[in-house]
Amino acid sequence: MRCMFESRVLIGSALLVSALSGCNGLGGDPMGNPGGNGSPRFEDVQCVPDVSGGKTIVEGKSLSCVFRLEGEAGRSVSSRCEDASGAAIDCGSSSPMQLQPFGSNKLPVKDGLFIMSTARLGSGKRTVVWVADDGEHTARYRLEVNIVPDDGVNGAPGVEFNCGGDTDGSVRVSAGAQLTCTVRFVDPDPDTLSWSYALASGSTPQNEATPFGGSGQTPHEVVWRWSTQASEAGKTWTYAFTVNDGTAPAVTRNLTVSVE
C-alpha cells in the first residue's frame, strides 16, 4: 500500500508543511494495541524525519508523523498523550506538541497527525505515548525520540553514483542498451533532501532518463535509468545531478555517459 499525506499545521506563528509518502514504515514502537477488529488501533505510522530504531533528530527541528486510527466504524474514541510513566502530556491545539485530531472523534480516523517541536527540549531521549480510548478498550503507541544537540554547523549534501560498479562519475554504455545507475544522496546532517537532474551537455537524447527528481530523508537512494538508441553511438552526454538540503548551498555533481 502506498499513500501520500500533505499536512499544514500552524504552531504559533510558524507554518509546518510536511509531505509524507509510502505508509508502510513505523516511526516508533507500538504498544498495547488490543486484539479484535473492533478495538481501536494505530496503523501505518510514519514520521519525518524517521526516528525509528534510535535514529536521531537535531534539537530545534520539528517532527511530523502521520497515522491511521482504526476500529469499529462510527464508534467514538478519545485521544490524548502521556509520558513514559503514564502522566498526561498536553498535546492539544495550543501546545507545541500536537496530536490531531485531539479529543473525541468517530472512527476511523484516516488522516491522523502528530507534530512536535524539539526546540528547548534539550538533548536526550523523549518518550511520548499516543492513547486512544473507546470506553472499553485502550490503544497506545509509544514514540521514542532521540534528540541530539545542534552543533551549529550545517554540512553540505553530496551525490554518489554506482553504475554497474563504475563510481567515478564517468561510464560507458553500449548503444541500444539501458544504463542503470544507483544514485545516492547523502548529508552529514539528518535532513530531508530534494534532487533533480539536467542535461549539462550533449544533444537532446531520444529517450529521457528517469526519474526526473524527488525528495527523501538522508541518505536517499534512487535507481536512475536511461535507454539509449543504436543511432546514438559515438556520442557523449553529461548529466548534472543537483541535491539541496534547504540550508547549505545546493551541490551539483556530473555524470558523463559515453555511448559506444
Side-chain angles (χ1 to χ4, degrees), residues 158-172 179-184 186 221 241 253-257:
V159 184
E160 299 172 354
F161 300 116
N162 189 335
C163 303
D166 292 320
T167 60
D168 62 356
S170 179
V171 63
R172 298 178 182 276
L179 173 65
T180 300
C181 299
T182 298
V183 186
R184 193 167 184 258
V186 296
E221 193 171 279
F241 288 77
R253 187 181 176 198
N254 291 340
L255 176 66
T256 300
V257 183

Side-chain angles (χ1 to χ4, degrees), residues 45-69:
V45 179
Q46 185 169 344
C47 298
V48 171
D50 179 9
V51 293
S52 63
K55 296 176 184 176
T56 60
I57 182 173
V58 175
E59 183 180 2
K61 298 283 188 177
S62 292
L63 175 70
S64 177
C65 304
V66 292
F67 61 88
R68 291 187 296 114
L69 185 55

Side-chain angles (χ1 to χ4, degrees), residues 94-246:
S94 61
S95 170
M97 182 188 303
Q98 297 180 19
L99 181 66
Q100 298 182 7
F102 186 77
S104 182
N105 296 274
K106 299 288 187 181
L107 292 174
V109 175
K110 300 294 187 181
D111 53 355
L113 172 69
F114 175 79
I115 55 175
M116 180 178 74
S117 171
T118 64
R120 297 182 296 278
L121 288 182
S123 59
K125 183 176 290 186
R126 296 292 184 272
T127 300
V128 181
V129 180
W130 311 337
V131 182
D133 188 344
D134 68 0
E136 294 183 11
H137 306 98
T138 301
R140 285 181 168 82
Y141 188 90
R142 182 186 180 97
L143 183 71
E144 292 187 343
V145 181
N146 187 19
I147 305 171
V148 296
D150 186 353
D151 61 9
V153 178
N154 182 78
V159 184
E160 299 172 354
F161 300 116
N162 189 335
C163 303
D166 292 320
T167 60
D168 62 356
S170 179
V171 63
R172 298 178 182 276
V173 61
S174 297
Q178 182 183 79
L179 173 65
T180 300
C181 299
T182 298
V183 186
R184 193 167 184 258
F185 303 97
V186 296
D187 196 316
D189 308 299
D191 289 322
T192 298
L193 305 176
S194 61
W195 72 275
S196 62
Y197 84 83
L199 184 63
S201 68
S203 59
T204 302
Q206 294 186 39
N207 297 315
E208 274 195 293
T210 59
F212 307 105
S215 63
Q217 184 71 18
T218 183
H220 181 55
E221 193 171 279
V222 299
V223 177
W224 184 82
R225 296 181 173 90
W226 176 36
S227 295
T228 67
Q229 294 293 309
S231 60
E232 293 175 323
K235 298 180 180 179
T236 299
W237 283 263
T238 298
Y239 291 96
F241 288 77
T242 299
V243 60
N244 195 334
D245 68 0

